[in-house]
Amino acid sequence: MKQLFWKQRPPGKVIAGWFVAIFAAMPVHAVEVQFNKVVDGVYAFIGETGARSESNEGLNANLGLVVTTDGAVLIDSGATFQGARQIHEAIRRVTNQPVKWVINTGGQDHRWLGNGYFLSQGAEVLAHAAGQADMVSRGGDHVAGLRQVLGVKVDGTDPTFPSQWIQGKDVTLTLGGVTFQFKHRGGAHTPGDMLVWLPQQRVVFSGDVVYVDRMLGVLPISNTKHWLETFAEMERLAPVHIVPGHGRVSNLGKARVETRDYLTALRAHMRKAVDEGAGISTAIKSFDSKPFMHLLNAAELMPGNGSRTYLEVERE
């Protein structure tokens, strides 16, 4: 039978057929996940700064990795189950340590929709309790929105919640001998947004508290007042390295200019407009956006950021 097989199908065609079958069964990824060193034992993946797309597979955000003597700690689990598997493969290229802990820094899809994969691998997943209601209410919408962009690459993704909810403003945990401090000041981009501070390494994973290189987004669930309070807490920590939610690894100077200064100016302008009785349309059009127009997506996001900040200030 073996000789007959080879006579009917020349070896080259057989081998080619095997490769076709193998690659047909493998997921094809358009985005390459790679963790690069920030300091010893601490790594970051820097996602695209544009919108979610088929090419970035919804992973248009940054991730973190901390390697300890007792296992790896992943900061944010990605946008899909399949994407989380790819993230895990990238982690294995850095360390042989298993992923024992996953931290969700907030409630946006690419922060936590990969949880199901890592929980299936035996990891413990942590997030702040202030984000629980947001995850519950928006999880299904996140998946539906990603489905429209990614199609079958969302298959297997279900909103899977953390196994442990962090309570309080300041919580310190030692994971694998490394000190992690979690700082929550009422949320920012989403209600559960918190800082993950490594005091020994002087590195902060800011999640969506910090955007650089691109314009931040103010959502209906955002709170710009608490956002600035969270930023002020980060300034107090005086990190040497900031791994932002979006954009390149940064420092306080750049983060101040591209996140804090924008939010401060936006709130001050909208506060003045509300106090003087200016309408929302007038307030948006009169905001001086020139200092921030170099940021990616600024033109598209400015009007919505203005309107939602106006409404927030009006409620205060």
Side-chain angles (χ1 to χ4, degrees):
M1 289 296 292
K2 185 176 181 179
Q3 289 180 337
L4 179 63
F5 178 80
W6 286 114
K7 285 181 181 179
Q8 290 177 331
R9 294 176 183 264
K13 290 185 179 180
V14 171
I15 293 172
W18 286 347
F19 276 109
V20 169
I22 290 170
F23 283 109
M26 293 176 63
V28 178
H29 292 288
V31 63
E32 179 184 358
V33 179
Q34 180 177 322
F35 287 94
N36 294 308
K37 181 178 174 181
V38 179
V39 298
D40 287 347
V42 180
Y43 303 81
F45 161 76
I46 305 303
E48 290 185 6
T49 48
R52 294 162 185 77
S53 67
E54 187 175 3
S55 64
N56 62 40
E57 300 185 28
L59 194 54
N60 61 330
N62 299 341
L63 310 173
L65 174 65
V66 181
V67 179
T68 81
T69 57
D70 194 33
V73 183
L74 174 65
I75 315 294
D76 294 322
S77 61
T80 66
F81 188 96
Q82 295 180 40
R85 182 184 290 115
Q86 190 190 9
I87 292 166
H88 199 185
E89 291 169 0
I91 292 171
R92 290 188 178 112
R93 293 193 290 271
V94 175
T95 179
N96 293 324
Q97 292 280 15
V99 178
K100 292 190 68 173
W101 301 277
V102 175
I103 298 165
N104 302 150
T105 61
Q108 279 301 90
D109 47 6
H110 36 225
R111 304 290 168 206
W112 68 282
L113 285 182
N115 285 356
Y117 171 81
F118 288 103
L119 282 166
S120 75
Q121 300 296 305
E124 182 177 2
V125 180
L126 301 85
H128 199 277
Q132 184 173 5
D134 176 43
M135 288 179 169
V136 170
S137 65
R138 291 199 300 147
D141 291 339
H142 281 321
V143 175
L146 287 167
R147 174 76 64 183
Q148 293 180 355
V149 178
L150 305 183
V152 297
K153 290 183 179 179
V154 179
D155 288 356
T157 305
D158 291 308
T160 305
F161 305 114
S163 52
Q164 180 177 335
W165 297 101
I166 297 169
Q167 305 278 348
K169 292 176 60 176
D170 299 283
V171 174
T172 299
L173 294 177
T174 301
L175 306 176
V178 176
T179 300
F180 288 76
Q181 294 182 354
F182 305 98
K183 307 284 186 177
H184 184 267
R185 294 295 182 271
H189 183 62
T190 73
D193 284 351
M194 65 178 178
L195 305 170
V196 179
W197 169 235
L198 307 180
Q200 294 156 322
Q201 295 81 1
R202 305 208 65 75
V203 174
V204 65
F205 291 93
S206 75
D208 289 329
V209 173
V210 176
Y211 286 61
V212 297
D213 304 323
R214 60 151 292 180
M215 173 55 63
L216 60 83
V218 179
L219 304 175
I221 58 167
S222 301
N223 188 304
T224 59
K225 179 181 179 181
H226 293 325
W227 198 327
L228 285 169
E229 290 169 355
T230 309
F231 195 101
E233 174 62 17
M234 185 180 69
E235 290 182 293
R236 188 190 68 77
L237 298 173
V240 175
H241 303 283
I242 300 170
V243 181
H246 299 267
R248 293 166 291 180
V249 176
S250 188
N251 55 42
L252 271 174
K254 186 174 176 67
R256 283 171 176 143
V257 170
E258 298 185 4
T259 292
R260 184 199 65 179
D261 291 357
Y262 172 65
L263 287 172
T264 300
L266 191 61
R267 279 187 57 85
H269 179 83
M270 295 304 167
R271 168 58 66 194
K272 185 172 186 290
V274 168
D275 290 346
E276 294 179 352
I280 189 168
S281 179
T282 300
I284 293 168
K285 291 176 182 177
S286 60
F287 176 69
D288 181 12
S289 61
K290 291 178 183 177
F292 312 104
M293 290 305 296
H294 66 285
L295 298 172
L296 185 66
N297 302 325
E300 297 91 339
L301 293 175
M302 284 279 194
N305 288 350
S307 65
R308 285 184 278 274
T309 302
Y310 180 99
L311 294 172
E312 177 190 335
V313 169
E314 191 176 42
R315 291 192 300 267
E316 291 176 355

